[in-house]
Amino acid sequence: MEDAPRRRTREQSSSSNDVGITIGGSGTHTPTQKYAFEIEDPASYAKLPLTDRVVKKWRAFYGNKDFGNITLLIALYWLQGIPLGLAHGSIPFLLKEKLSFAQVGLFSLAGYPYSLKLFWSPFVDSLYDRKFGRRKSWIVPIQLITALVFWWMGGHIDGLVRNPAENIYGIMYLFLAIVFLSATQDIAVDGWALTLLSKENLSYASTCQTVGINCGFFLSFTVFLALNSVEFSNKYLFSVPRDEGFLQLGPYLAFWAVAYVLVTLYLIVFKTEDSSSEDEAGSYGIAETYKTIWRICKLPHMQQFIIVLLVAKVGFIPNDTTTQLKLIERGLHREDMALAVLIDFPVQIFFGYYAARWSQGASKLKPWRLAFVLRLLCSALSMSVVYYFPQGGLTTGYFYVVLITMVASSMAKTVQFVGMSAFVTQIADPVIGGTYMTLLNTLSNFGGTWPVYFIMRAVDYFTSATCLMPAGMGDSYACATQEARKLCVKEGGVCNVTWDGYYIVSASCILLALIMFVGYIQPTVHRLERHPAHLWRVTKESTK
């Protein structure tokens, strides 16, 4: 998941080097450092068996003096992953059963706040009640409001989703609100992580974020889709077949409303915040932060880099957003898709670790460029997987084809994400590292978000499908949506697809991305990665 959640990186001290991927123990960090990736010195335990390494890591973690704070951070990020997994995962699948791609594209606007949170993050950093706590001033009310919205949705959302065509705007606005709340909570939790953990344990901050958000996302996407599936529930959970899955969306949201309240009550009653500890964002006011952002954007080579961030993902968007929906449309069950995502998850973790190691040296973005080409190949292959999907239903052999394609695409996506994060870590001005990193990561995320709505509308625009009814059975009608296709077959007709916009849009985006890669992205990235660090600086202190 790329428009999904990202690791935060904070400034290095001016006396340290410019490399954000470090080798060594966590004791070398300063309180304002938060690295995207931490690679331990392999000489310290490389010769130990794998099981001994795992045991050693677990003992060190469980016996850590910050174990309680680390657990709290994971819980806070976990709560953050719940609405993200719904908005970016489950809900589009539920809606696509009854809506067109254009209507699902309208819902995709609900995910925009997470890619735009930079624009209100200075307010979260600057406005707070010192007695209650700088971060708790935002986290507590936001989580209580989220709980109230979840509780209300628990009693109404199932009715809205049953008739999505009439309620698409209401559904979109509801999830827009909770994604906005989740994004704001993320700003506060990221800042708190830098003071909540002790100096020697700051390297665990990004780990807490990765584990927490991915677990929440996994529950709301993979687990929920499986338990919500009628086929899965009747096959594995019910002794007598039923018309609905084991878990509906309303009860699921009500459960998490209670979880939000319990975690928030723990923060209010048992957790105090050290007001004397301030991260680097606190040294800037709201106006100064926005001025700093503007100074960064005015750097000539930064403007070229921003263009790359905004257009580089256009070729992958059809595969990332519509391929899975098309597979469901062609006959892939939701529980099969959930299983594929489950298998894919450890692959992302594995390649995420090694991608950080590959993104070092003079050609820091070489893994990113190679993964770019691989993602284009996977996008083209995915079109073939959809086109040749078995008419009689999914077979075991073809499921492995789908799985391999998904894993390869996800692997390339992870390598790109980690490689770009590592590069941004290395070029960020250490004096204003937090603002610098937040700006570039926001632009990178927005590059994968803004095309979604237009691409999904284009899929419908270029699709031509008509339900041909037998003589005397009624007039023909459009059957572009999955629900219309089912109705057409039920009434004895045949849905004749003249043009499928998915193939037209996917092929066009791949071709456009290939042209941009050869003509602009590849030479620009190759040139930018060779710029010395001082050319990326905007403060006098960091250029000395």
Side-chain angles (χ1 to χ4, degrees):
M1 185 188 42
E2 188 166 3
D3 1 85
R6 60 191 184 276
R7 299 170 176 84
R8 298 286 179 274
T9 307
R10 296 288 180 180
E11 64 182 87
Q12 293 177 298
S13 62
S14 58
S15 61
S16 63
N17 57 37
D18 294 319
V19 180
I21 306 172
T22 64
I23 299 179
S26 58
T28 60
H29 293 162
T30 66
T32 55
Q33 288 175 305
K34 183 180 179 185
Y35 292 98
F37 306 97
E38 179 77 10
I39 304 173
E40 293 192 6
D41 187 353
S44 63
Y45 66 99
K47 296 182 180 180
L48 291 176
L50 177 61
T51 53
D52 290 346
R53 292 184 225 168
V54 173
V55 171
K56 181 181 178 181
K57 282 284 188 180
W58 171 249
R59 286 177 177 173
F61 173 71
Y62 186 74
N64 196 299
K65 67 177 183 180
D66 281 338
F67 178 76
N69 290 334
I70 291 173
T71 304
L72 175 61
L73 276 180
I74 292 175
L76 293 174
Y77 282 122
W78 193 311
L79 293 181
Q80 188 184 132
I82 297 301
L84 296 181
L86 292 172
H88 294 283
S90 298
I91 302 302
F93 279 93
L94 298 178
L95 296 180
K96 186 59 185 72
E97 295 179 352
K98 299 181 179 181
L99 298 180
S100 64
F101 278 102
Q103 291 169 309
V104 176
L106 178 64
F107 174 80
S108 71
L109 297 176
Y112 274 38
Y114 214 88
S115 298
L116 299 173
K117 59 187 176 181
L118 167 73
F119 297 107
W120 65 90
S121 61
F123 291 91
V124 178
D125 280 331
S126 303
L127 304 177
Y128 56 92
D129 182 348
R130 184 176 294 275
K131 291 183 178 180
F132 190 59
R134 179 177 186 177
R135 307 304 176 180
K136 286 173 60 178
S137 296
W138 287 90
I139 295 174
V140 168
I142 285 171
Q143 291 189 170
L144 290 177
I145 294 172
T146 304
L148 288 175
V149 176
F150 271 8
W151 187 260
W152 184 89
M153 291 174 67
H156 298 83
I157 193 64
D158 287 325
L160 296 175
V161 173
R162 288 191 188 100
N163 300 290
E166 300 175 3
N167 303 305
I168 184 61
Y169 282 97
I171 297 172
M172 187 269 289
Y173 286 131
L174 282 172
F175 279 93
L176 181 73
I178 63 172
V179 171
F180 172 80
L181 292 170
S182 180
T184 308
Q185 188 245 28
D186 176 62
I187 297 168
V189 174
D190 281 348
W192 198 11
L194 296 177
T195 57
L196 189 62
L197 300 181
S198 58
K199 174 182 176 180
E200 62 269 24
N201 290 317
L202 280 175
S203 61
Y204 284 113
S206 58
T207 302
C208 294
Q209 185 186 46
T210 302
V211 172
I213 291 181
N214 281 329
C215 286
F217 197 98
F218 176 76
L219 281 178
S220 286
F221 186 21
T222 306
V223 176
F224 174 77
L225 274 187
L227 297 180
N228 182 258
S229 168
V230 176
E231 294 84 357
F232 179 88
S233 299
N234 286 334
K235 184 176 181 180
Y236 297 106
L237 302 177
F238 297 146
S239 56
V240 178
R242 302 181 186 179
D243 295 331
E244 290 186 336
F246 175 79
L247 181 62
Q248 299 304 302
L249 185 57
Y252 181 78
L253 291 175
F255 169 82
W256 283 108
V258 175
Y260 265 80
V261 171
L262 292 177
V263 173
T264 307
L265 288 177
Y266 171 81
L267 290 178
I268 296 174
V269 178
F270 298 105
K271 197 64 185 174
T272 58
E273 190 174 347
D274 183 6
S275 60
S276 63
S277 298
E278 301 290 340
D279 61 359
E280 60 89 21
S283 61
Y284 291 97
I286 296 175
E288 181 62 28
T289 300
Y290 287 120
K291 290 178 181 178
T292 300
I293 293 172
W294 180 242
R295 289 202 305 271
I296 295 171
C297 292
K298 288 198 301 182
L299 294 172
H301 46 278
M302 180 59 72
Q303 295 172 12
Q304 300 172 30
F305 188 44
I306 289 174
I307 294 175
V308 171
L309 294 177
L310 292 178
V311 303
K313 299 176 184 177
V314 170
F316 319 131
I317 299 299
N319 184 39
D320 292 344
T321 59
T322 61
T323 293
Q324 293 183 3
L325 298 177
K326 289 296 292 187
L327 288 171
I328 295 291
E329 188 179 278
R330 295 297 295 269
L332 183 69
H333 293 154
R334 278 187 281 160
E335 62 270 20
D336 295 326
M337 182 63 70
L339 177 60
V341 174
L342 173 63
I343 296 173
D344 177 57
F345 181 72
V347 175
Q348 294 189 46
I349 301 298
F350 176 82
F351 279 97
Y353 172 78
Y354 280 100
R357 304 185 66 177
W358 298 334
S359 301
Q360 302 182 62
S363 299
K364 303 176 185 67
L365 287 175
K366 184 177 180 180
W368 185 89
R369 297 196 300 270
L370 294 175
F372 188 104
V373 176
L374 178 57
R375 286 185 76 180
L376 288 183
L377 293 174
C378 289
S379 298
L381 181 60
S382 295
M383 288 195 295
S384 301
V385 171
V386 173
Y387 184 81
Y388 291 106
F389 195 91
Q391 296 294 326
L394 182 68
T395 62
T396 301
Y398 208 79
F399 173 76
Y400 288 120
V401 173
V402 173
L403 179 62
I404 292 172
T405 306
M406 285 185 59
V407 169
S409 179
S410 178
M411 176 194 71
K413 183 177 181 179
T414 300
V415 170
Q416 275 206 300
F417 170 76
V418 174
M420 183 59 71
S421 297
F423 175 70
V424 171
T425 299
Q426 297 173 51
I427 68 172
D429 191 328
V431 177
I432 52 169
T435 302
Y436 210 111
M437 284 294 302
T438 303
L439 169 64
L440 295 182
N441 283 325
T442 296
L443 292 171
S444 180
N445 284 343
F446 189 63
T449 303
W450 72 263
V452 174
Y453 172 75
F454 303 101
I455 284 176
M456 298 192 83
R457 285 193 65 87
V459 169
D460 267 3
Y461 180 82
F462 290 106
T463 296
S464 176
T466 305
C467 181
L468 304 178
M469 302 296 295
M473 295 288 291
D475 298 330
S476 60
Y477 55 87
C479 56
T481 67
Q482 188 173 350
E483 185 178 33
R485 288 190 181 93
K486 291 180 179 178
L487 179 63
C488 179
V489 174
K490 184 178 180 180
E491 293 179 346
V494 176
C495 186
N496 181 41
V497 180
T498 307
W499 295 99
D500 193 328
Y502 165 74
Y503 301 107
I504 298 173
V505 173
S506 295
S508 300
C509 288
I510 292 173
L511 180 60
L512 176 61
L514 186 60
I515 293 173
M516 288 193 300
F517 181 74
V518 174
Y520 181 77
I521 296 176
Q522 158 78 358
T524 300
V525 167
H526 186 67
R527 182 174 61 256
L528 293 178
E529 69 180 355
R530 297 181 179 276
H531 282 340
H534 69 86
L535 291 182
W536 299 93
R537 309 308 194 214
V538 294
T539 59
K540 295 181 180 179
E541 294 91 334
S542 61
T543 56
K544 291 179 180 179

